[in-house]
Amino acid sequence: MRILIITDAWYPQINGVVRTLSSMQEELIKMGNDVRMITPEAYKTVPCPTYPEIRLSLVTSKAIEKVVKEFMPCAIHIATEGPLGLAARNYCRKKKLPFTTAFHTRFPEYVEARFRIPENWIYPMMRWFHKHSTNVMAPTPTVVENLHAHKFHNACLWGRGVDVDLFKQGPKAELPKDRIQQGKPILLSVGRIAVEKNIAAFLDLDIDANKIVVGDGPMMNELVRKYPDVIFVGAKHGEELVSYYNCADAFVFPSLTDTFGLVMLEALACGTPVAAFPVMGPKDVITDPTAGCLDHDLKTAVLKALELNRENCRKFAEKHSWKASAETFRSYLHEFDPKLIDQHYEEPTTTEEEKIPASAVAGITSSTKTSD
């Protein structure tokens, strides 16, 4: 099958969405599919406000149409709700082509955390974007239930995986000896250093331990100054990232808004137990008490996690493969005859149901002005 995947999240960004999609591309190709990616790499971009490292593509439906006609896919998947995703959605709606989408990020909750815009103003826009998708693929049962509660009627479960050949027990990262307190546990957090990741819950933990943060983001400089005893090492990739997982005695995941949290599986694959809050994401990933501890008191979760066996963590992670995830993804795609691409349709008129909810737009506009 020729599969076209459109995503606004792609390298050089390093996050769970990018890792998921790159893993899907690799596994789908192994399965014998022809996969083409439409990413920001091919277009002019501008920095995202407040997140300059994230680039927003300047693209129209015409640009998407050009790629589609060259590739002639049998299935189209729109992975993100950004400019590329919106252009692809508009093209598919115009040409009456079926498509699937994914709900990778709890965007309404992120917007509320960062800009104080109520999430119930954002969800109507999200419903509008995903309304005509054959399947809205969500990473956990809790996310599927949440989408159903917000009147998404086409949500389905698409689990995630981990590369157990890369993420495994092995060499440990060399930590600065002049900053490490010998004999005390090493606590690690990996992810974007941003307000929506709730990283302060980790940094403020009243635990006699070494704290290490791997990652980068808009709050990096501020937190380096505020927490001089915490070791910030920046973004790490591949074997170097694995070495940091291996040097930690416990992995702390403080986020309250992540839909999944691939970093938890990566840590577990290296044998590092996880401590997190019992919220969406962690409670769907940490389903075995031998692999991690969830508690509304993060300190309690950490102290319990430090007592867990690393071998049990590794065994738990080995049950989650990217191959199984790719097979599920492939089964949810809506295959169609590529001849449909060349059919001509009259430009559709915009019906009331196709308009972006005006109340949501008005709310976002007024709140954005207020936040400025």
Side-chain angles (χ1 to χ4, degrees), residues 2 46 69 87 135 147-148 228 269 329:
R2 290 188 303 280
V46 294
K69 287 187 173 181
N135 289 305
L147 290 177
H148 287 160
F329 176 87

Side-chain angles (χ1 to χ4, degrees), residues 158-330:
W158 166 38
R160 300 295 188 265
V162 62
D163 184 350
V164 293
D165 294 323
L166 172 62
F167 294 94
K168 58 186 178 182
Q169 298 177 62
K172 300 180 179 180
E174 291 188 14
L175 304 176
K177 295 181 179 179
D178 59 330
R179 300 193 61 190
I180 289 294
Q181 302 178 67
Q182 298 299 325
K184 296 181 180 180
I186 295 174
L187 306 181
L188 173 70
S189 184
V190 176
R192 281 183 52 74
I193 304 178
V195 63
E196 67 270 11
K197 295 297 184 179
N198 195 35
I199 190 172
F202 168 61
L203 302 176
D204 289 331
L205 277 176
D206 182 20
I207 294 181
D208 192 15
N210 299 285
K211 297 176 184 176
I212 301 175
V213 175
V214 173
D216 204 347
M219 295 183 70
M220 177 78 160
N221 294 335
E222 173 189 343
L223 295 183
V224 167
R225 292 191 298 269
K226 186 175 180 181
Y227 298 92
D229 294 332
V230 176
I231 301 174
F232 292 84
V233 299
K236 303 296 178 183
H237 319 293
E239 296 289 350
E240 190 174 12
L241 173 58
V242 173
S243 70
Y244 278 93
Y245 284 126
N246 278 310
C247 77
D249 296 296
F251 180 78
V252 184
F253 188 75
S255 176
L256 299 171
T257 58
D258 276 61
T259 56
F260 191 87
L262 282 177
V263 288
M264 288 186 286
L265 279 183
E266 293 174 355
L268 291 170
C270 296
T272 306
V274 172
F277 291 108
V279 296
M280 182 186 301
K283 69 180 184 180
D284 288 304
V285 176
I286 310 301
T287 57
D288 186 335
T290 66
C293 296
L294 307 180
D295 199 290
H296 291 289
D297 180 0
L298 193 57
K299 178 178 179 179
T300 298
V302 171
L303 294 176
K304 290 181 178 178
L306 288 170
E307 299 175 358
L308 297 180
N309 183 285
R310 297 185 74 93
E311 292 300 325
N312 290 335
C313 296
R314 170 67 184 184
K315 290 177 181 178
F316 176 82
E318 288 175 339
K319 300 175 184 177
H320 300 78
S321 72
W322 279 122
K323 180 180 179 181
S325 179
E327 289 173 345
T328 301
F329 176 87
R330 171 67 176 78

Side-chain angles (χ1 to χ4, degrees), residues 22 24 49 55 71 98 101 149 158 170-171 210 257 311 329 341 368:
S22 60
M24 285 303 96
R55 307 293 298 184
F71 185 53
T101 58
W158 166 38
N210 299 285
T257 58
E311 292 300 325
F329 176 87
I341 294 169
T368 301

Side-chain angles (χ1 to χ4, degrees), residues 3 6 63 66-67 107 154 156 230 266 287 289 293 339:
I3 303 170
I6 300 97
K66 180 180 179 182
V67 178
F107 184 67
N154 45 359
C156 56
V230 176
E266 293 174 355
T287 57
C293 296
K339 292 180 182 178

Side-chain angles (χ1 to χ4, degrees), residues 96-109:
K96 299 183 180 180
L97 296 176
F99 60 93
T100 57
T101 58
F103 194 87
H104 287 280
T105 304
R106 295 175 68 190
F107 184 67
E109 286 81 359

